[in-house]
Amino acid sequence: MAAPSTTDITWIGPAKGWRLPDLREVWRYRNVLFNFVSRNFRITYRQTIGGPIYAVYQPFMTMVGYTLILGVLFDAQKDTEIPYPLFSFSALIVWSLFTGVVQGVSMSMQKNSTLIQKIYIPRLIFPLIETLMELLTFGIAMIILFVVMLMYGFLPNLNILILPVYTILAAGTGLGVGLLFAGFQARFRDSVYVSQAVTRFLFFLTPVVYSSSRLPAPLDALYQYNPMAVVVEGFRWALLGS
C-alpha cells in the first residue's frame, strides 16, 4: 500500500485585528496585477470606434455644460484669469480620477467574488487593478488637456514638476475611500448607492467648477478640511500656475 501523502496544507483565513497590508506579497503577484490591467483595458475599448478617446467623454461634456451654464449665464469667468473651459476641465479630470477610483474600488471585491473563492490572490490586487485602470484613463485625458492648453496659449511652468504628487494624492484618497465602501459592499449590497451619493455631495463642496474665492467666511477656511479641495486647487496650480 502506498504511503499517505505528507503534502503540507496551508490554511488561509482573515487576519484578526488591525494590521498593515503585506505589500511584499502584492509585489510577488505583480504579474497578475499587470495582466489584469492589460486585459481589462483591451476589453473596455475593443470594437469601439473612438477607442480610448471615450475616456475623456464624461469630463469633457461636463466641462461644456458648466461652461454654458456657469461660464456664460453666471459669468464665472470673472473669478479667474484662466479661460473658464480650461479652468473647469483641468479640475474635472483630476476629480474624475478620484470618483472613478472610488466607484471601481468599492465594487472590486463583489465583481471578482467568484475568482476570489476559487484561487488565492492577495485581496489588495483587485482594488489596485481598478486604481491603475483609472490612472490609464487619466493619462489619456491629460493628453487632451495639454492640447486644450496649447489652444489657449498656456504652457506649463516648473510647477508641473509637483503634478505627480497631486495625482497620487487624488488616486490614493480615492483608493482609501473606495476600500472603506468595499468592506461595506461585502455585507450591504446597496452601499454602492451611498458611495455615489457621497461623491456627488462632495463634488459641490470642492472648487471644481467654481473658484474658491466665491466662498464667504468662514467657509473659505472650513472647505480646506476637504482633502479633494486641496488636491484640486493644487493640481490646477501645478498645471496652470494659478
Side-chain angles (χ1 to χ4, degrees):
M1 178 180 294
S5 174
T6 58
T7 303
D8 292 333
I9 299 177
T10 301
W11 294 95
I12 301 173
K16 296 182 179 179
W18 293 88
R19 70 171 186 176
L20 294 174
D22 189 355
L23 298 181
R24 291 177 298 178
E25 185 182 37
V26 174
W27 177 251
R28 289 197 296 269
Y29 282 81
R30 61 187 182 277
N31 290 334
V32 176
L33 173 62
F34 296 140
N35 287 335
F36 265 99
V37 172
S38 176
R39 186 206 65 171
N40 291 353
F41 188 81
R42 291 195 306 269
I43 291 176
T44 301
Y45 299 110
R46 185 170 57 190
Q47 295 182 337
T48 59
I49 297 175
I53 198 66
Y54 291 118
V56 297
Y57 173 79
Q58 182 174 352
F60 183 81
M61 295 307 297
T62 304
M63 177 270 291
V64 172
Y66 278 108
T67 297
L68 294 176
I69 296 174
L70 298 181
V72 177
L73 296 182
F74 292 94
D75 197 20
Q77 175 65 58
K78 66 181 181 181
D79 297 326
T80 176
E81 298 177 356
I82 305 171
Y84 187 79
L86 189 57
F87 175 87
S88 58
F89 191 41
S90 58
L92 284 166
I93 286 177
V94 71
W95 177 260
S96 297
L97 171 63
F98 166 72
T99 55
V101 171
V102 170
Q103 298 304 323
V105 170
S106 62
M107 294 295 296
S108 60
M109 296 301 181
Q110 180 182 344
K111 186 167 65 174
N112 297 282
S113 59
T114 303
L115 183 61
I116 291 174
Q117 295 171 5
K118 290 182 178 180
I119 60 175
Y120 175 73
I121 299 177
R123 301 296 187 263
L124 191 57
I125 288 288
F126 300 105
L128 289 176
I129 290 171
E130 301 297 331
T131 304
L132 289 179
M133 282 290 297
E134 292 300 326
L135 283 171
L136 282 174
T137 301
F138 171 81
I140 298 169
M142 283 298 298
I143 296 174
I144 306 300
L145 177 58
F146 281 125
V147 173
V148 176
M149 289 176 61
L150 291 176
M151 291 172 58
Y152 280 99
F154 272 79
L155 294 176
N157 54 28
L158 291 179
N159 294 350
I160 199 173
L161 295 178
I162 204 155
L163 193 68
V165 174
Y166 289 108
T167 302
I168 293 173
L169 283 173
T173 304
L175 177 60
V177 175
L179 286 173
L180 176 65
F181 283 109
F184 288 126
Q185 185 68 20
R187 182 67 61 89
F188 309 104
R189 297 302 186 187
D190 57 349
S191 64
V192 62
Y193 304 112
V194 178
S195 67
Q196 292 174 354
V198 168
T199 53
R200 286 171 184 169
F201 178 72
L202 194 61
F203 175 82
F204 295 103
L205 300 181
T206 306
V208 177
V209 295
Y210 61 86
S211 173
S212 58
S213 62
R214 278 183 174 263
L215 296 174
L219 293 180
D220 57 344
L222 291 177
Y223 96 100
Q224 296 186 42
Y225 289 98
N226 170 9
M228 282 307 298
V230 179
V231 169
V232 165
E233 291 214 316
F235 185 87
R236 190 183 279 137
W237 166 81
L239 195 63
L240 304 174
S242 175

